[in-house]
Amino acid sequence: MATDKFKIKLSIADRVYPLTIRPEQEEGLRKAAKRINEVIKKFEQDYAVRDKQDVLAMSALQFAAEIEQNQLSSSSEVKQVEVKLEALDDMLKNQLN
């Protein structure tokens, strides 16, 4: 069985990471690595942090917090839509009766 995976190298925090990936993953991984490096650079500049482990931990916390906040917001939006749909359903039932 032929595999359509290939190898790339990503640089994160001045270290190179070789990965074997599927073609459809490449763009997302490259963008993610670029964003991580940007966040690291910002932390290093804004807070004069030089320890790579510290900036990586701070970056991981920032990304995890964004994911959690997005999930909370998404959950809240879904609940609002459910409430509106239930109200609309009630209105339609009343009109049909």
Side-chain angles (χ1 to χ4, degrees):
M1 176 184 238
T3 177
D4 59 348
K5 292 186 176 184
F6 67 100
K7 296 176 189 265
I8 64 169
K9 291 181 181 179
L10 294 178
S11 176
I12 300 172
D14 300 326
R15 292 184 75 174
V16 175
Y17 296 91
L19 301 171
T20 302
I21 63 166
R22 293 184 311 275
E24 63 271 14
Q25 293 177 295
E26 184 177 12
E27 182 179 1
L29 286 168
R30 291 199 186 276
K31 285 182 177 182
K34 181 180 179 185
R35 185 158 179 234
I36 291 168
N37 286 322
E38 289 168 352
V39 169
I40 287 170
K41 185 177 179 180
K42 183 165 176 40
F43 279 130
E44 288 175 336
Q45 290 172 348
D46 292 353
Y47 302 105
V49 179
R50 296 287 172 245
D51 185 288
K52 290 296 183 193
Q53 185 172 346
D54 288 341
V55 292
L56 285 169
M58 292 165 68
S59 299
L61 177 61
Q62 179 174 322
F63 289 122
E66 286 177 17
I67 290 168
E68 292 300 322
Q69 189 58 50
N70 286 340
Q71 287 178 346
L72 289 171
S73 295
S74 181
S75 176
S76 174
E77 289 171 4
V78 167
K79 191 66 177 168
Q80 290 174 359
V81 168
E82 286 175 353
V83 168
K84 289 179 181 178
L85 285 173
E86 287 173 6
L88 182 59
D89 186 47
D90 290 342
M91 287 172 49
L92 287 172
K93 285 179 183 175
N94 288 337
Q95 289 296 321
L96 293 174
N97 287 336

